[in-house]
Amino acid sequence: MVLVLAIGDFHVPHRSPGLPQRFKTLLAPGKIQYIFCTGNLSSSEIDEYLRSVSPDVHIVAGDLDSTYYPDKAIVNVGNLSFGICHGHQIIPRDSKSANEALRREMGVDVLITGNSHAVEVWQSNDGGIFVSPGSATGAYTTVNHTVSPPSFVLMDVQGSKVVTYNYILEDTGLRVARENFDSFK
Amino acid sequence: MEAALGFIGLGSPCDISVDLDAASTRRYVNQNPTSSTLHSSTKSNNDNPLLLPLFTESETVSGKVTVSLKDGKHMQHRGIKIDFVGTIEMVYDRENSQQFTSLERLLEDPGTLTATKTYRFEFTNVEKSYDTYSGINVKLRYFLRVSIVRSQYTQDICKQVDIAVQHLVDKPLSNQEIRMEVGIEDSLHIEFVYHNSKFHLTDVVIGRIYFMLVRINLKRMELEIRKRESAGTGANVYNETETVMKFEVMDGAPVRGEVIPVRMFLGACRALTPSYRSVNNKFSVKYYLNLVLVDETDRRYFKQSEITIWRKSYQTV
Amino acid sequence: MPPSHSSLSDTDEGREGRYLRESIASVRLHAQRLRRALDADRLDEAVKIAADVAAELRSIAAAELSPKLYYDVYLSVGAELRVLENYAMESARRGAPVLELYERVQETPLVLPRLYLLITAGSVYIKSQQAAAKDVLRDLVEMCAGVQHPQRGLFLRAYLSQMMKDKLPDVLSEDEHDEDSNDISAGTVHDSISFVIRNFTEMNRLWVRMEREASTRDIEVLEKERLELRILVGSNIATLGRLVGSNLDLYKTEVLPAIVEQIVKCNDSIAQEYLADCIAQVFPDDFHLQTLEEFMHMCKDLKKGVNMRIILSSIIQRLSRFVSSSSEAKHAAIQTGAFTVFRDKLPAVAKHQGSSLNLTDRLRIHVELMNFTLCSEPNRTDYVDDVLGFTVHDMQKFLGSTYDHGKKSKSFRKISTTYKPLITDDELLALDVLTKPLDKFKSVGSVLKLENFVVLQNFLSYENQKALAARLLLSAGGYSKCIHNVNTLKKLFRYVAPLVLEKRVGSDAEAEGTGGDGMYQKFDMSTITYHHEYLLALMPVGSSTAPQLESSQSLSADTSAISEEDTEQFEKNQELVARIVYLCEDENIGEALSLYIVLRQELIRGGGKRLSITLPSLMFASLRLALRCSKTNCDGDLVERILSFAAESVELLPDSSALLALRLRLHIAGTAASLGGVSRFVYDNISSGFVAYEQHITTSRDQHKALQQIIATMGFVRDALPEDSFEALANRAIKHATRSLTRSDQCVLLCMCAKVAPKSMKGSPISCLMKAEEAAECCVNAAERVLLMLDVASCAAQVHETKMANVCEGQFLGELMKKVREIMSSKQNKGSALGKVVAIRYGKLVGYLKQRLDVFEGLDGSEL
């Protein structure tokens, strides 16, 4: 079993003063093998933080990150390949078919994207798994005023299977939603 | 010594012994006390106790005398007598010695003694006005003397037996404290207080020394009892002063305002006698409390005050 | 026979050791005799020998010993006297009168051994219950005055304390005495207390006196010896502590006044320091709370030069620990007003000590006091401020060089003072005083209530000022909204000025305690409307409004000034400043905007390099206000004002942050588009983005990213723009995409353009795709070429599916796929790693197309 954390769109300090303390407590160092970060950390502080949580961190550039990070990244875990992309490049914005196309273009089994700030996990007809971890700080998006709560997605990868856990920090408390996916390539 | 003399043939032909009545129940006085407690640890032969039976002022002195002949010989004599004598002896001026009492009893008329013989004697209510005293220059003694008077060319055979006499004194009516301020200008100023000026022989000297100004570095402070004996009259007066007791009351250097307590037990001083004023016009004994301060260069500062010592109870062994 | 006068080898230590051995040997020798005498029941003789034993403590050899070695002799003498004591105790049990022994020992001619024996006999006397303890105690403590030699006296009295320790009556009154036990009333705790206090007083006097006898000796050695002896004196206080127990009344009325009197009277620094500390350590904490006033009163009367730091730290530390231990303790501290006692009494103590209580020690005391205040009454910010005030006062007193009280009536500036810089240790202490409230409150709002905070902060070095300001901002972990008005915001900026300004804060007037307003009054920014205030930052302003516009200076000079600073720390600090916006109340949108305007004024003063870190947060916060406007249906004018504010903010960024500025503009455009009705802001910001792209973004990598983001943004703002405006922007995008430096960039960007280009216009999606294909085919590297061509094909498929263009008509897609197949089939590409990737990508695309042949009408599935 391999634990992979999908997280991103921190926007610290642009749109949030910091990661919720509750998340910091949850993300204790040494438990998570991989972090796939969809970008928009903004602050180098977050970069340092992620690297303190896991030894294997892959970060792609968001629309507000420095040019230091790559646009896209592909990492193999278990029998699966994971593609990471922030997603602001995707046209049209928030389109599922565009996401599917990107997955095909990248040739990966699982595509992780940010930008929408909405936590979401789904599977396409052709078996592709799509993970959108939302915003880890609950940052708002500049294109609409829906305020999404802080979230991330934790993936337990076993062979070709993925169990996802959506961690959502709502006003009423932490909510965790679990889903099973089987990648049929 | 008598044994030694006998050995060379000059010894007396008889022994005389005097047995006082009720000797076993009588109290005794050590007439040769150690001169001072300060030297108690250095014992010498002179310190062997000399025990004398104690008599009061007009107590009858009685007993028996036994004359025992040696080797069954006969002894001619010109009479046997016993004297009760009180003397004041000037140790270094014998001429000025004096017998102030002398009583005689004849025990045996002149004749020949053929066997050991015992005689009773009794001096009824004999007056003994003074205390026995043994000083440096003067001694006041009471003794019984048995004499066997011999022929003209033969020395009399004598035997002396001392007794001790002590008088008790009533508690003095007034007993004032001794209080005095003394000092050296600008360097030392003290006040001392002794609660009493008259003490019986086993009394306690209680007092305090107040340091009102101390600009010299003192090392210690002692209280001494000094005894001053004056013997003789006129031009031939012998004065002796002797420290009979030394008692340290302070160790170290006090500062201004310090109060040092004094509590000295006179009983510790075996050499102490009552004070005597002009005993039979022959001698006096006075006592002084001497406060001595010693500084770090061993210089001594002292002040003495006369005290009176009286006898409250018999000093017996 | 070795020469006995070899002074070289006869060191002090060697000599002392020899004396010690001699003394101990003598004691042992006498002790043997003592045991023999006792075995033979010769008590008189035993007493004399015991006196000889004790006399070793005043022998010539013993006089040469240091306290430490003398203590060894003292112990061995004590052990031997115990033999006599046990014997006498045994006799007493059999009915022998102890009084005889008590008197007999007093015949000992030497005072020191006499008193040792007297104490020993006294101990038996009390234990035998033949005498009342109180009488014996009184007698002994008085008689001991006979030894005035400091060292010998101290040990003698220590022996007295030790022997009497377990014989001190502890009943409160005679009535409590158990009547069955004995007719003699032993005494009460009052007798015991007066005994111990008397003995303590005398010991302390002897101890103090050692100093005066130092004439011939080395002062240092002597002070060391005194310190070795202090425990003898202090043990009395411990005994008092035991006697007092939990009886506060006894402590307050009998014990403390007596000890205090002695401490004050002895007028000796070492003693005062040690004994005051003893009080603090020995008695229970709640006693200290109840008698704090008396304690502080004593402190005021202590000798000048006494280390008040040790004394006060000690008591304050204790009380701090105490109040932290329980809520009852905290309650007691509040009830007794412990802090106010410190506050009211401390100045007098400090004043009395004057310069002999140096700044470092004063600061240490203030650190402790701060700690206490925060432990005992954490809600009283005024108390905390008082402590800061003390610290400021001392700083001014010790560091001020030209403070002139007489000229107060003159111009304010004339009496301003220059201060000497702090030494490092002092600065750390001052920093500690300032940091403690931050860490405790964890609330910027509470810290802002501290009027003396900034005044004290001004004394620090620039580096520490920055560190402190950063810590303040860090302490606001929860970022609760604590800034409700402009004044509070401005106040906060006085606290964090070191992070915003390029130089150290706190010269001249600010350090006066005026709150540092002077500098701020020079910038009367409130009279300038927000619409053009950013211009202030960019151009020199007339002397009438801003004689010294530091922000403009630093704008031009920022890069060189900051280059020396640790960039990472700089960024972290500025990110903290950026977070200030989260402290600002934003419930009311209009008021929030007013706050933001002031916030921006303050940030501007930091110059361009800081702004590029601090401004984005503010800008995003303002966009959020705008989005909230749309939800709450507020005034349209307000929305425009907000968007203008955001746009102007971006203008303030330096050219070096052109990419950032462009990205922010795209967000403004995106927000404006989603708000609707403000298309002007959409167009303006995108076109300004192009200007920035053209003028300031120079590296191809940045250019690529910039253009990519412009095109992506255009992808979702199309509906918010009039058709012609959008076409103009799209054409510009296509033009720039075509002109990208590398073929691959051209290809990727043109593909994106194809997705956003309107069908109607000249540069329709198809033409974009064709240009993209063209660019791809020009690639020299075959693998890259084929990958790019696959991208174009994928893009074409998407464009086709969204019905923006028909790529099957005219066989664009079919031809493209054919070309791909041709390249793939050429030998050199097969088998390479890239070749495999290409094969997979191709396979995926073909698989997808085959599934959806119904959509891709005209595409020949069999050819794929």
Side-chain angles (χ1 to χ4, degrees):
Chain A
M1 126 179 182
V2 180
L3 280 185
V4 179
L5 172 66
I7 194 167
D9 285 304
F10 297 88
H11 294 285
V12 174
H14 289 172
R15 288 182 233 174
S16 166
L19 191 66
Q21 186 55 46
R22 187 73 195 272
F23 280 3
K24 286 189 183 173
T25 317
L26 279 171
L27 300 174
K31 287 182 180 168
I32 292 160
Q33 281 87 343
Y34 294 93
I35 293 180
F36 297 157
C37 174
T38 58
N40 274 344
L41 304 81
S42 299
S43 166
S44 59
E45 188 185 312
I46 301 294
D47 185 304
E48 285 163 26
Y49 170 73
L50 292 177
R51 290 178 203 284
S52 77
V53 172
S54 168
D56 211 337
V57 180
H58 301 270
I59 303 172
V60 294
D63 60 328
L64 285 154
D65 283 315
S66 77
T67 50
Y68 173 79
Y69 302 118
D71 252 17
K72 296 176 184 118
I74 297 173
V75 184
N76 293 318
V77 178
N79 299 330
L80 298 175
S81 59
F82 288 76
I84 315 157
C85 177
H86 177 253
H88 65 275
Q89 310 91 330
I90 297 173
I91 303 169
R93 192 185 165 103
D94 302 337
S95 142
K96 282 198 174 181
S97 63
N99 268 286
E100 287 183 63
L102 179 59
R103 186 183 78 88
R104 283 195 304 276
E105 281 171 25
M106 292 179 75
V108 294
D109 304 311
V110 183
L111 179 66
I112 300 166
T113 56
N115 200 38
S116 71
H117 293 203
V119 59
E120 197 180 8
V121 188
W122 54 281
Q123 192 162 25
S124 61
N125 292 332
D126 58 352
I129 301 168
F130 295 84
V131 174
S132 169
S135 162
T137 58
Y140 76 100
T141 65
T142 51
V143 293
N144 55 52
H145 189 57
T146 49
V147 179
S148 39
S151 63
F152 62 78
V153 174
L154 196 61
M155 296 176 282
D156 181 358
V157 182
Q158 300 171 23
S160 312
K161 290 183 179 171
V162 181
V163 183
T164 61
Y165 301 88
N166 299 359
Y167 283 80
I168 305 156
L169 190 60
E170 290 171 337
D171 288 340
T172 50
L174 185 72
R175 188 163 63 82
V176 184
R178 181 177 187 271
E179 270 183 88
N180 286 305
F181 294 97
D182 203 344
S183 172
F184 46 98
K185 297 186 195 178
Chain B
M1 191 183 276
E2 278 173 54
L5 288 172
F7 180 71
I8 56 169
L10 292 170
S12 72
C14 62
D15 284 339
I16 304 171
S17 68
V18 179
D19 295 304
L20 292 169
D21 288 344
S24 61
T25 55
R26 189 166 290 283
R27 287 174 294 189
Y28 288 82
V29 171
N30 183 0
Q31 198 61 30
N32 187 19
T34 51
S35 58
S36 146
T37 52
L38 286 181
H39 309 297
S40 61
S41 53
T42 57
K43 294 212 170 197
S44 69
N45 290 334
N46 298 336
D47 292 328
N48 286 336
L50 174 62
L51 297 179
L52 302 183
L54 174 67
F55 286 81
T56 56
E57 181 165 11
S58 50
E59 196 181 346
T60 297
V61 180
S62 61
K64 55 191 186 199
V65 173
T66 305
V67 180
S68 33
L69 293 170
K70 291 176 184 168
D71 307 330
K73 285 179 183 165
H74 295 228
M75 184 182 71
Q76 283 193 335
H77 62 84
R78 296 167 69 181
I80 301 173
K81 61 175 182 175
I82 183 163
D83 296 291
F84 177 85
V85 183
T87 63
I88 295 175
E89 296 168 5
M90 296 309 206
V91 178
Y92 302 110
D93 186 12
R94 294 202 176 265
E95 284 155 30
N96 269 319
S97 294
Q98 182 194 36
Q99 282 196 358
F100 56 89
T101 294
S102 182
L103 296 168
E104 187 182 291
R105 299 280 186 275
L106 190 65
L107 298 177
E108 180 88 59
D109 291 329
T112 304
L113 272 184
T114 56
T116 297
K117 196 167 176 187
T118 299
Y119 313 93
R120 274 209 59 80
F121 68 89
E122 184 171 279
F123 297 97
T124 313
N125 300 334
V126 60
E127 191 185 309
K128 305 175 276 295
S129 308
Y130 311 117
D131 281 3
T132 330
Y133 173 78
S134 174
I136 293 164
N137 290 321
V138 62
K139 284 184 163 64
L140 191 150
R141 295 175 60 205
Y142 294 94
F143 55 87
L144 292 162
R145 186 173 58 214
V146 180
S147 311
I148 304 174
V149 187
R150 305 284 294 272
S151 62
Q152 202 173 353
Y153 306 103
T154 318
Q155 205 181 345
D156 291 352
I157 299 170
C158 286
K159 167 83 178 181
Q160 277 186 26
V161 174
D162 277 61
I163 64 162
V165 174
Q166 291 181 354
H167 295 80
L168 298 187
V169 174
D170 287 340
K171 188 180 175 186
L173 290 174
S174 73
N175 198 346
Q176 278 168 340
E177 66 170 25
I178 300 174
R179 177 184 289 270
M180 203 179 290
E181 281 190 35
V182 289
I184 307 162
E185 204 173 340
D186 290 335
S187 51
L188 185 66
H189 191 179
I190 65 170
E191 179 177 348
F192 59 82
V193 180
Y194 310 124
H195 291 179
N196 294 318
S197 50
K198 295 170 180 167
F199 304 90
H200 61 78
L201 285 163
T202 54
D203 213 344
V204 188
V205 179
I206 292 172
R208 281 201 167 80
I209 292 118
Y210 300 86
F211 284 85
M212 292 146 91
L213 176 72
V214 192
R215 292 222 178 108
I216 45 179
N217 215 348
L218 296 173
K219 198 158 74 175
R220 64 174 192 271
M221 177 164 69
E222 292 169 352
L223 204 54
E224 293 175 344
I225 295 183
R226 288 167 75 76
K227 174 182 176 185
R228 184 180 162 88
E229 179 189 285
S230 316
T233 47
N236 300 318
V237 177
Y238 296 85
N239 285 325
E240 280 296 338
T241 306
E242 185 191 6
T243 301
V244 293
M245 185 169 179
K246 271 190 176 177
F247 191 74
E248 190 186 47
V249 291
M250 185 185 76
D251 170 23
V255 293
R256 178 199 191 112
E258 213 66 69
V259 182
I260 308 299
V262 171
R263 186 190 293 153
M264 182 166 71
F265 283 75
L266 295 176
C269 181
R270 312 283 181 233
L272 213 57
T273 69
S275 303
Y276 296 119
R277 182 172 301 271
S278 189
V279 177
N280 209 31
N281 285 319
K282 280 291 179 189
F283 72 97
S284 298
V285 176
K286 290 181 175 179
Y287 284 96
Y288 299 87
L289 272 180
N290 191 25
L291 185 67
V292 185
L293 293 97
V294 184
D295 74 8
E296 57 184 358
T297 59
D298 284 327
R299 200 173 311 149
R300 295 162 71 85
Y301 310 85
F302 59 89
K303 184 71 191 175
Q304 54 184 32
S305 334
E306 187 177 355
I307 54 170
T308 306
I309 311 262
W310 55 283
R311 177 170 282 129
K312 185 183 175 188
S313 54
Y314 298 112
Q315 285 173 284
T316 55
V317 178
Chain C
M1 184 175 160
S4 59
H5 56 270
S6 96
S7 56
L8 277 175
S9 62
D10 197 16
T11 59
D12 277 2
E13 230 163 276
R15 200 170 61 229
E16 267 201 275
R18 208 176 61 230
Y19 284 133
L20 176 64
R21 285 193 299 278
E22 278 173 22
S23 294
I24 303 257
S26 287
V27 169
R28 295 225 174 100
L29 212 63
H30 294 311
Q32 284 170 8
R33 287 171 49 215
L34 176 63
R35 280 161 214 264
R36 274 201 300 274
L38 289 175
D39 286 346
D41 283 328
R42 293 196 301 268
L43 186 60
D44 274 8
E45 190 188 334
V47 166
K48 281 183 183 146
I49 300 169
D52 291 341
V53 170
E56 281 306 322
L57 286 166
R58 60 152 292 171
S59 69
I60 294 165
E64 296 291 322
L65 297 176
S66 67
K68 240 167 142 176
L69 298 182
Y70 188 85
Y71 182 65
D72 289 345
V73 182
Y74 165 84
L75 286 181
S76 76
V77 167
E80 300 306 338
L81 293 184
R82 194 156 290 274
V83 176
L84 177 67
E85 189 197 5
N86 291 341
Y87 176 89
M89 197 57 228
E90 202 46 50
S91 309
R93 266 193 211 106
R94 288 194 303 264
V98 185
L99 178 63
E100 273 180 21
L101 177 69
Y102 196 71
E103 289 188 356
R104 176 65 48 79
V105 297
Q106 294 189 63
E107 293 178 3
T108 307
L110 289 174
V111 63
L112 187 83
R114 179 166 72 237
L115 292 172
Y116 271 96
L117 297 188
L118 188 65
I119 292 165
T120 311
S123 164
V124 178
Y125 209 4
I126 296 174
K127 246 201 288 189
S128 70
Q129 295 190 331
Q130 291 181 22
K134 59 176 176 185
D135 298 333
V136 177
L137 292 172
R138 202 180 303 127
D139 189 47
L140 291 176
V141 79
E142 187 186 342
M143 292 312 285
C144 282
V147 179
Q148 293 289 323
H149 182 275
Q151 179 159 314
R152 294 199 283 270
L154 271 171
F155 277 96
L156 173 72
R157 287 183 178 274
Y159 183 69
L160 175 62
S161 320
Q162 189 226 318
M163 294 293 280
M164 296 301 132
K165 206 161 54 183
D166 55 344
K167 301 174 183 73
L168 299 174
D170 55 4
V171 294
L172 264 180
S173 73
E174 303 270 3
D175 306 337
E176 281 182 46
H177 192 257
D178 185 2
E179 288 183 11
D180 299 337
S181 67
N182 208 305
D183 287 336
I184 303 168
S185 163
T188 64
V189 72
H190 306 286
D191 298 310
S192 301
I193 287 173
S194 81
F195 162 77
V196 179
I197 285 178
R198 174 113 188 248
N199 199 37
F200 157 70
T201 304
E202 295 296 333
M203 284 177 90
N204 190 40
R205 291 180 54 191
L206 290 168
W207 189 46
V208 167
R209 208 180 295 167
M210 288 183 79
E211 195 83 26
R212 305 205 179 114
E213 291 176 5
S215 52
T216 57
R217 301 174 65 186
D218 188 350
I219 294 278
E220 254 176 60
V221 171
L222 192 104
E223 292 211 332
K224 184 174 152 271
E225 292 186 358
R226 278 198 65 193
L227 289 177
E228 286 170 1
L229 287 168
R230 68 184 166 187
I231 188 131
L232 299 180
V233 184
S235 66
N236 286 298
I237 306 227
T239 307
L240 286 170
R242 251 196 348 267
L243 284 172
V244 165
S246 57
N247 190 330
L248 172 66
D249 193 46
L250 212 50
Y251 176 69
K252 198 169 179 165
T253 57
E254 279 183 45
V255 173
L256 184 64
I259 304 178
V260 163
E261 188 196 348
Q262 175 54 28
I263 291 178
V264 170
K265 240 166 73 179
C266 79
N267 200 30
D268 173 87
S269 311
I270 294 180
Q272 292 188 335
E273 211 168 286
Y274 172 66
L275 295 172
D277 192 48
C278 276
I279 295 183
Q281 302 301 330
V282 163
F283 294 100
D285 299 313
D286 57 325
F287 283 18
H288 293 315
L289 267 189
Q290 305 293 341
T291 56
L292 195 55
E293 190 133 8
E294 287 90 332
F295 189 88
M296 290 303 289
H297 194 80
M298 172 192 78
C299 289
K300 190 193 67 169
D301 291 339
L302 296 186
K303 209 180 162 188
K304 231 176 151 175
V306 164
N307 194 334
M308 291 309 302
R309 199 265 304 167
I310 290 180
I311 297 168
L312 290 173
S313 296
S314 173
I315 190 105
I316 301 173
Q317 266 173 17
R318 277 204 70 136
L319 292 180
S320 296
R321 271 200 300 275
F322 180 58
V323 297
S324 312
S325 67
S326 73
S327 54
E328 288 86 9
K330 192 172 278 179
H331 181 69
I334 293 169
Q335 206 165 37
T336 54
F339 175 78
T340 55
V341 175
F342 282 126
R343 183 192 61 196
D344 298 344
K345 300 278 179 187
L346 203 57
V349 177
K351 194 177 171 203
H352 173 67
Q353 291 291 331
S355 56
S356 55
L357 183 59
N358 65 32
L359 183 57
T360 308
D361 283 346
R362 282 168 188 246
L363 289 172
R364 287 200 176 125
I365 294 169
H366 295 327
V367 170
E368 295 297 347
L369 189 58
M370 179 60 85
N371 197 35
F372 174 72
T373 311
L374 293 170
C375 290
S376 59
E377 307 203 39
N379 300 326
R380 295 297 297 260
T381 48
D382 53 336
Y383 287 177
V384 171
D385 205 30
D386 287 337
V387 181
L388 294 174
F390 284 157
T391 315
V392 167
H393 173 267
D394 285 343
M395 291 285 203
Q396 290 171 343
K397 183 176 151 78
F398 280 84
L399 301 173
S401 53
T402 58
Y403 195 85
D404 191 348
H405 293 277
K407 292 182 181 170
K408 266 199 173 150
S409 54
K410 290 199 176 178
S411 145
F412 200 66
R413 293 213 168 272
K414 289 279 195 244
I415 56 162
S416 69
T417 313
T418 53
Y419 291 102
K420 285 175 261 176
L422 279 168
I423 61 164
T424 315
D425 283 357
D426 290 351
E427 186 168 356
L428 291 178
L429 289 167
L431 197 59
D432 210 9
V433 173
L434 285 162
T435 317
K436 280 189 187 304
L438 300 186
D439 294 352
K440 182 75 180 187
F441 292 155
K442 293 209 185 308
S443 147
V444 172
S446 299
V447 177
L448 289 181
K449 290 182 188 155
L450 307 174
E451 298 299 333
N452 287 307
F453 192 93
V454 174
V455 192
L456 183 54
Q457 185 184 25
N458 288 346
F459 281 95
L460 303 177
S461 68
Y462 183 38
E463 282 311 309
N464 280 324
Q465 286 183 346
K466 282 193 288 187
L468 183 67
R471 190 135 173 185
L472 167 64
L473 292 175
L474 262 176
S475 73
Y479 287 94
S480 56
K481 311 270 184 233
C482 62
I483 296 171
H484 307 283
N485 56 51
V486 169
N487 284 341
T488 318
L489 181 62
K490 286 193 165 178
K491 195 166 180 186
L492 174 61
F493 269 88
R494 289 213 299 275
Y495 283 62
V496 301
L499 292 178
V500 177
L501 301 179
E502 195 56 61
K503 65 180 186 77
R504 181 174 174 268
V505 187
S507 54
D508 299 342
E510 276 172 290
E512 271 309 317
T514 58
D517 281 331
M519 176 176 289
Y520 284 79
Q521 283 160 0
K522 293 183 217 156
F523 300 90
D524 198 0
M525 302 277 279
S526 58
T527 59
I528 302 162
T529 60
Y530 66 91
H531 286 294
H532 60 272
E533 71 177 70
Y534 66 89
L535 296 173
L536 267 178
L538 297 168
M539 62 182 77
V541 178
S543 57
S544 59
T545 50
Q548 263 189 298
L549 193 61
E550 265 152 307
S551 54
S552 68
Q553 287 169 355
S554 49
L555 259 182
S556 53
D558 61 312
T559 40
S560 62
I562 294 160
S563 62
E564 286 173 27
E565 194 173 5
D566 180 10
T567 324
E568 205 174 304
Q569 192 56 49
F570 174 80
E571 279 175 10
K572 281 195 173 151
N573 285 344
Q574 294 310 311
E575 283 175 2
L576 287 172
V577 176
R579 287 175 170 94
I580 289 174
V581 69
Y582 300 111
L583 296 171
C584 295
E585 180 62 68
D586 60 357
E587 195 60 35
N588 179 301
I589 293 170
E591 284 170 18
L593 181 62
S594 314
L595 271 182
Y596 289 179
I597 288 164
V598 176
L599 175 54
R600 190 172 65 187
Q601 284 171 13
E602 297 291 346
L603 294 177
I604 284 170
R605 289 143 53 76
K609 175 131 185 177
R610 285 183 179 76
L611 281 174
S612 59
I613 303 174
T614 56
L615 258 190
S617 304
L618 175 59
M619 197 232 50
F620 278 116
S622 65
L623 287 190
R624 189 168 185 196
L625 287 184
L627 287 165
R628 274 176 50 206
C629 264
S630 72
K631 283 228 158 182
T632 52
N633 297 321
C634 59
D635 191 354
D637 179 44
L638 183 56
V639 175
E640 294 216 358
R641 272 167 59 204
I642 295 170
L643 290 173
S644 301
F645 174 83
E648 286 156 10
S649 300
V650 177
E651 290 283 349
L652 289 168
L653 294 177
D655 293 346
S656 56
S657 300
L659 179 59
L660 175 67
L662 181 147
R663 289 165 153 181
L664 297 179
R665 283 193 180 286
L666 295 178
H667 276 278
I668 298 172
T671 303
S674 77
L675 285 169
V678 281
S679 60
R680 175 166 74 84
F681 285 96
V682 182
Y683 182 82
D684 281 0
N685 279 290
I686 294 179
S687 63
S688 298
F690 276 119
V691 173
Y693 174 87
E694 287 151 10
Q695 292 182 354
H696 300 297
I697 297 176
T698 48
T699 71
S700 64
R701 191 178 166 82
D702 282 2
Q703 281 179 343
H704 178 73
K705 290 219 169 198
L707 200 53
Q708 191 188 42
Q709 285 177 23
I710 292 174
I711 298 165
T713 304
M714 285 170 65
F716 63 87
V717 302
R718 176 161 38 187
D719 295 344
L721 284 172
E723 211 169 297
D724 55 337
S725 304
F726 186 80
E727 270 183 29
L729 295 174
N731 279 328
R732 211 152 161 192
I734 293 165
K735 189 178 85 188
H736 285 305
T738 319
R739 288 181 187 167
S740 283
L741 194 62
T742 66
R743 292 295 183 191
S744 62
D745 281 356
Q746 288 173 12
C747 177
V748 168
L749 291 170
L750 283 165
C751 281
M752 289 179 77
C753 286
K755 292 180 190 172
V756 298
K759 228 192 272 188
S760 55
M761 61 177 267
K762 198 169 69 188
S764 64
I766 285 285
S767 81
C768 286
L769 287 172
M770 283 160 71
K771 282 180 185 164
E773 189 200 338
E774 217 172 287
E777 281 182 50
C778 290
C779 255
V780 181
N781 182 307
E784 193 182 355
R785 185 161 71 233
V786 75
L787 281 173
L788 286 171
M789 286 167 79
L790 280 171
D791 279 351
V792 176
S794 172
C795 180
Q798 284 180 62
V799 168
H800 182 86
E801 276 191 301
T802 53
K803 300 201 165 55
M804 288 168 68
N806 190 332
V807 292
C808 301
E809 212 178 286
Q811 288 299 318
F812 175 78
L813 183 58
E815 288 296 319
L816 187 57
M817 294 305 280
K818 197 174 159 189
K819 283 176 193 165
V820 170
R821 278 197 305 277
E822 279 167 17
I823 300 168
M824 283 172 65
S825 60
S826 68
K827 273 184 185 173
Q828 70 243 48
N829 281 314
K830 278 187 179 166
S832 73
L834 260 175
K836 276 183 193 161
V837 173
V838 171
I840 293 169
R841 295 266 319 263
Y842 176 78
K844 291 235 173 191
L845 182 59
V846 168
Y848 177 73
L849 290 175
K850 275 184 173 168
Q851 272 179 4
R852 310 195 36 114
L853 278 176
D854 54 327
V855 179
F856 297 98
E857 274 172 55
L859 197 63
D860 186 352
S862 60
E863 282 184 20
L864 292 172

